[in-house]
Amino acid sequence: VSQGHGFYDLAEPVEGPASPGSWSYSTLSEWRACPRRWWLTRAQYSGFRGRYPRRVYAATVEGQMVHDALEKFIEHIEAQIAQGITDYMTLRRTFPVRRVMAERRKLIEAELVGNPRIDLQALRPKISIDKCVDAFRRVSATMQSSFDPSSFGERQEGTSGKPAPQPGAEVTIKTIDPPLGGRIDWLSGREIIDFKTGERDEKHADQLRFYALLLWLQTGRTPDALTLIYTDPVERVSVPVPSESELQLMRETLASEITSIEKEIGSSTISTRPSEEVCRWCPAKAHCDDYWSSPSTRHLRLGELAGDPNRAEGDFFIADLEVNGLPSPDGGDLIMGEAYCPSLGTVQVELGRSWRSIGSAPEQARVLGAYVRRTDQAWMVSLGLSSEVFWKCGH
Ligand code: SF4
């Protein structure tokens, strides 16, 4: 529950999520990374409705804008080909890229309104349409080699009368056994193409194999090619197409994995996989007790300097800290004085405002991105520009 930007009441989940009807590659990946994170970000919380809010950065929005514009470009090609225009350069020239980017930005911003973890006023000027247009131009130049006008609008035949998906942008495929689903960025004939705006990751090839499985399950045919198109820097990467026996093995492995996941979702215990790599970006770590106690996340909670015996006055670091035994508010809004931090011992705190709307003075705070500075006597815990405070009360 937000109490003003950066301050939250640490509400408990009141109801866990149900198993999704079909598992997409990203949903499965999230579960594999940490089942508890999957669960916490889909649970219902008292006093808050909707999906668990995440922090969003300008680079994420720009990546999404470029990705969305590429899909819109495929739709534009499809519409123009229906009018008899098949020259790629003409199709490229007639696509109003700047206008599309501006529209996508508006739409994305509208979706972010109401997310208490985002300061839209601060985020907006950091999003560059020029940068996105440049990225689009570079990528659209490399797309020409996958461009085949005859593949648009032609539904490929499946085997045994199975319906085949219509080639184009954002092709959705859902299967029943096992219950899988996915949205292919671009299906060009029987080539599956996925746009990637972030850094290279070996999971991207795995995701394309997952799409190959979806297509095979739906049509009985394997794709002709699997291609990743990276936007920054621009690069085309071909992924080997799995054979039918490999796809059959994938199908069996996924079916048994989903059975055991659904069993765990139905149980009362959802496992955690704390690690520095996974927990660093976990949006729900304030709720996760294991994060605050696991030795594998110690570095995130302690910072580099805290364990150094030669730390000097003025040294500082940014870390996630749990602070207990908070002093009473000073009559104003400030919580200032001595408190106890499990990772640092006795500390001095100076923790802003907004505790009042909780109803009673907080006893504990979980501070994400705390600014921790060595004074002549102790560590001083205060707030930096991007800190978030999750208050916990005894009520
Ligand atoms: S903080 Fe780490 S262990 Fe806890 S839910 Fe998030 S990813 Fe899992």
Side-chain angles (χ1 to χ4, degrees):
V1 182
S2 172
Q3 310 155 16
H5 189 67
F7 294 86
Y8 310 93
D9 184 0
L10 193 61
E12 293 297 325
V14 287
E15 197 182 333
S19 172
S22 61
W23 289 84
S24 67
Y25 184 81
S26 59
T27 312
L28 267 173
S29 299
E30 224 180 313
W31 176 277
R32 287 169 183 158
C34 177
R36 170 67 62 163
R37 182 172 82 178
W38 182 94
W39 192 91
L40 282 171
T41 52
R42 288 164 176 80
Q44 296 296 312
Y45 292 81
S46 58
F48 184 79
R49 289 170 73 85
R51 189 86 186 260
Y52 194 92
R54 293 163 193 251
R55 301 188 88 169
V56 174
Y57 302 92
T60 322
V61 176
E62 288 170 350
Q64 198 179 332
M65 285 164 60
V66 174
H67 190 276
D68 290 354
L70 288 167
E71 288 185 341
K72 287 278 157 218
F73 179 46
I74 309 289
E75 287 171 13
H76 168 79
I77 293 177
E78 206 169 356
Q80 296 297 301
I81 286 178
Q83 305 292 318
I85 302 161
T86 57
D87 173 58
Y88 187 80
M89 293 318 289
T90 308
L91 293 166
R92 169 63 199 86
R93 244 194 340 269
T94 50
F95 181 64
V97 55
R98 194 165 285 278
R99 196 185 77 211
V100 170
M101 288 294 180
E103 284 169 3
R104 298 317 294 174
R105 182 165 93 164
K106 256 195 197 155
L107 279 176
I108 295 169
E109 285 179 2
E111 284 165 15
L112 297 178
V113 171
N115 181 333
R117 302 182 79 176
I118 296 170
D119 180 353
L120 256 185
Q121 297 285 77
L123 179 68
R124 209 169 270 136
K126 294 182 188 153
I127 302 167
S128 163
I129 288 192
D130 287 344
K131 208 166 135 194
C132 296
V133 169
D134 282 351
F136 174 87
R137 289 198 172 123
R138 288 193 304 270
V139 181
S140 57
T142 75
M143 287 164 66
Q144 194 165 359
S145 55
S146 290
F147 174 65
D148 172 10
S150 67
S151 72
F152 282 86
E154 262 186 35
R155 198 181 277 269
Q156 303 285 318
E157 288 235 333
T159 59
S160 344
K162 290 184 178 182
Q166 177 89 34
E170 302 183 57
V171 175
T172 300
I173 302 181
K174 283 194 176 176
T175 62
I176 294 167
D177 180 23
L180 304 174
R183 214 192 60 173
I184 296 169
D185 286 346
W186 182 14
L187 182 62
S188 174
R190 284 190 18 217
E191 180 181 7
I192 291 176
I193 299 153
D194 209 45
F195 301 117
K196 293 292 176 203
T197 54
E199 289 176 7
R200 275 68 176 152
D201 188 321
E202 60 193 30
K203 286 200 196 90
H204 297 159
D206 202 35
Q207 184 175 11
L208 280 188
R209 287 190 283 272
F210 182 90
Y211 290 157
L213 174 66
L214 293 182
L215 193 70
W216 179 68
L217 286 172
Q218 168 125 352
T219 66
R221 290 180 188 276
T222 55
D224 289 342
L226 302 175
T227 306
L228 290 165
I229 298 185
Y230 287 98
T231 62
D232 189 18
V234 177
E235 189 185 2
R236 288 177 66 94
V237 177
S238 289
V239 174
V241 177
S243 64
E244 293 211 12
S245 56
E246 286 169 324
L247 291 172
Q248 182 59 35
L249 184 63
M250 269 175 79
R251 174 192 198 163
E252 286 160 17
T253 311
L254 281 166
S256 101
E257 184 183 6
I258 289 171
T259 305
S260 78
I261 291 174
E262 292 189 337
K263 209 164 145 196
E264 188 168 341
I265 293 173
S267 75
S268 54
T269 323
I270 306 290
S271 52
T272 53
R273 298 201 183 126
S275 74
E276 199 174 314
E277 191 196 347
V278 179
C279 299
R280 182 184 298 278
W281 302 110
C282 174
K285 58 181 156 181
H287 295 270
C288 174
D289 291 343
D290 283 8
Y291 172 71
W292 298 95
S293 59
S294 168
S296 33
T297 59
R298 189 171 175 274
H299 185 74
L300 298 175
R301 294 178 290 107
L302 210 52
E304 280 168 24
L305 291 173
D308 179 358
N310 300 319
R311 60 207 176 191
E313 190 181 339
D315 281 348
F316 68 92
F317 60 91
I318 306 287
D320 298 337
L321 289 184
E322 189 168 61
V323 196
N324 301 320
L326 289 172
S328 301
D330 63 351
D333 280 344
L334 212 55
I335 293 182
M336 203 163 79
E338 203 171 273
Y340 181 75
C341 174
S343 50
L344 294 173
T346 301
V347 293
Q348 293 293 315
V349 295
E350 199 178 295
L351 294 178
R353 54 204 159 74
S354 294
W355 59 272
R356 284 170 185 274
S357 55
I358 305 173
S360 58
E363 294 177 355
Q364 186 189 64
R366 286 178 171 173
V367 189
L368 305 185
Y371 179 76
V372 191
R373 186 170 52 85
R374 185 75 195 169
T375 66
D376 56 342
Q377 287 162 358
W379 288 107
M380 164 67 83
V381 178
S382 58
L383 303 180
L385 277 180
S386 58
S387 306
E388 292 182 307
V389 183
F390 291 78
W391 304 119
K392 221 174 172 180
C393 301
H395 60 73

